[in-house]
Amino acid sequence: MTLAKKKFRYACIYLQNNDGLIYSNFLSDFYKRLIELCGSIDFHKTNVRIIDVDTVSKNFLVIKCKLDYVDNVLLSMYFTNYPILILPISGTIKQLKKRVREFSLYEDFLTGI
């Protein structure tokens, strides 16, 4: 019997209004929606985790989940009805940091206009 390596995906979310209250409310609503969408058993199978990355700004929230449940996680994020932008998903944190840096440069460019 061969054991396959578990594959994860990392999703980065840009919180447009970075307030501590909105951050905590978003997380509780996100978990609640995910449980409503998948059920409690599949919620635990998704292995959803909030990753703390030091080099990423506090406006960004990095979520780690299993590859098989990425669609459910994205759908539940969408149904939270918060002002968020979901950046492209990546298989590694290194690639995700690169995409976040590119988005930050683009955001700084737009706010400077």
Side-chain angles (χ1 to χ4, degrees):
M1 177 158 96
T2 7
L3 297 176
K5 182 179 177 184
K6 296 178 185 175
K7 294 186 179 182
F8 293 96
R9 290 296 176 255
Y10 299 92
C12 187
I13 301 161
Y14 176 69
L15 296 170
Q16 293 180 359
N17 188 358
N18 189 14
D19 185 15
L21 183 63
I22 289 178
Y23 179 82
S24 63
N25 288 342
F26 171 76
L27 288 179
S28 65
D29 287 347
F30 167 65
Y31 288 141
K32 189 184 327 177
R33 291 286 182 196
L34 190 57
I35 290 172
E36 289 172 359
L37 183 68
C38 303
S40 61
I41 293 174
D42 280 343
F43 171 74
H44 291 288
K45 286 182 182 178
T46 60
N47 203 12
V48 173
R49 302 285 183 254
I50 305 299
I51 305 295
D52 186 27
V53 181
D54 295 334
T55 59
V56 177
S57 171
K58 295 299 180 189
N59 291 341
F60 297 98
L61 179 68
V62 179
I63 295 179
K64 175 183 177 181
C65 69
K66 284 189 179 176
L67 175 63
D68 300 335
Y69 297 97
V70 169
D71 296 334
N72 292 340
V73 170
L74 291 176
L75 194 61
S76 62
M77 277 190 268
Y78 176 74
F79 284 137
T80 56
N81 292 327
Y82 280 89
I84 62 171
L85 290 173
I86 301 172
L87 299 181
I89 298 171
S90 178
T92 62
I93 292 180
K94 182 178 180 180
Q95 187 67 27
L96 186 73
K97 287 179 187 179
K98 180 180 174 184
R99 291 179 181 169
V100 167
R101 246 182 273 120
E102 291 172 359
F103 180 78
S104 296
L105 294 174
Y106 181 72
E107 179 192 20
D108 292 341
F109 175 73
L110 288 180
T111 56
I113 295 178

